[in-house]
Amino acid sequence: MKTNLLLITLSLLSLVLTTSAGEPPKPYTGSAEFEKLKTLAGTWQAKVDMGQGPMTVTTQYRVISGGSALEERMFPDTPKEMVTLYHEKDGKVVLTHYCMLCNRPSMTLVKTDDKSLTFDLAKDSEIKVETEKHMHSAVITFVDLNHVTQNWTLFDNGKAQEDHSFQFERVK
C-alpha cells in the first residue's frame, strides 16, 4: 500500500512539473501605485547641493524578482551607495531603505494622489525614533515620464531635522 501511494505521489508530482516546465512565469502585477513605481526603471540624475557644493546624483531603478520588487540604487558603485527596495505587503506598497547612516528604516505608503506617493515610517520598523538619526518619510512626485521629484525627511532625536530634495531627470 505504501509503495502504491508513493508511486501515485511521484506520478502527480511529475505531471505537475512537466506541464509547467515550458511555461514562463506570469509577470507580477501589483497595485496601481506599485505599477507606477515600476515605470521608474532606468537611470536618473539630479543636480543637488548637499552642503559640499553642487554635485550630480545618479539613481538606478531595476524591476526584479519576477516584477514583484523594485530596486533603487542611489550613488551606485560609490561608498555612499544606498539601496531602497519597494514591494507590496498585504496589498500595500512598502519600502526598506538601506541607508548610508547604517540603518534600515521601513516605510509604508500612507497617502497617494494622481502625481505623488507619500511614505512614512512603518510601525514595525526597527528604528529607535527618539534616539536614532534616520530617514523617516519620503514623497515621490511624478512630474512627467522623464522628471521625478523625491523628498526625504531626516529625523534626529525624535524630530524632523531637514529635507533632502532631488529633482531627477531620466537619462536617455
Side-chain angles (χ1 to χ4, degrees), residues 153-171:
T153 301
L154 178 73
F155 266 49
D156 195 10
N157 294 317
K159 296 183 178 130
Q161 298 298 312
E162 58 187 276
D163 286 338
H164 295 273
S165 187
F166 304 90
Q167 284 75 42
F168 286 104
E169 185 171 340
R170 188 184 299 270
V171 176

Side-chain angles (χ1 to χ4, degrees), residues 2-120:
K2 288 183 181 179
T3 304
N4 286 342
L5 184 58
L6 180 61
L7 286 173
I8 291 170
T9 302
L10 289 174
S11 295
L12 287 173
L13 181 60
S14 175
L15 180 64
V16 168
L17 291 175
T18 57
T19 56
S20 63
E23 299 173 23
K26 293 182 180 167
Y28 177 83
T29 302
S31 65
E33 296 84 4
F34 187 66
E35 293 302 309
K36 186 173 201 111
L37 279 169
K38 287 171 28 177
T39 67
L40 295 172
T43 301
W44 298 75
Q45 289 187 329
K47 302 267 191 236
V48 296
D49 187 342
M50 298 179 76
Q52 300 159 356
M55 64 185 282
T56 299
V57 175
T58 299
T59 298
Q60 299 168 335
Y61 292 91
R62 289 186 321 143
V63 177
I64 59 174
S65 301
S68 67
L70 178 70
E71 174 193 67
E72 172 190 274
R73 288 187 175 276
M74 185 176 276
F75 306 108
D77 303 320
T78 72
K80 294 180 180 183
E81 182 175 53
M82 296 184 287
V83 174
T84 302
L85 293 176
Y86 301 84
H87 64 95
E88 292 188 301
K89 180 180 176 183
D90 300 325
K92 195 161 208 162
V93 181
V94 296
L95 69 82
T96 301
H97 175 65
Y98 296 84
C99 190
M100 71 173 72
L101 295 173
C102 301
N103 57 24
R104 298 177 301 283
S106 298
M107 299 180 200
T108 303
L109 182 66
V110 293
K111 183 177 152 191
T112 183
D113 60 34
D114 291 343
K115 291 274 187 185
S116 59
L117 304 174
T118 302
F119 295 87
D120 201 25

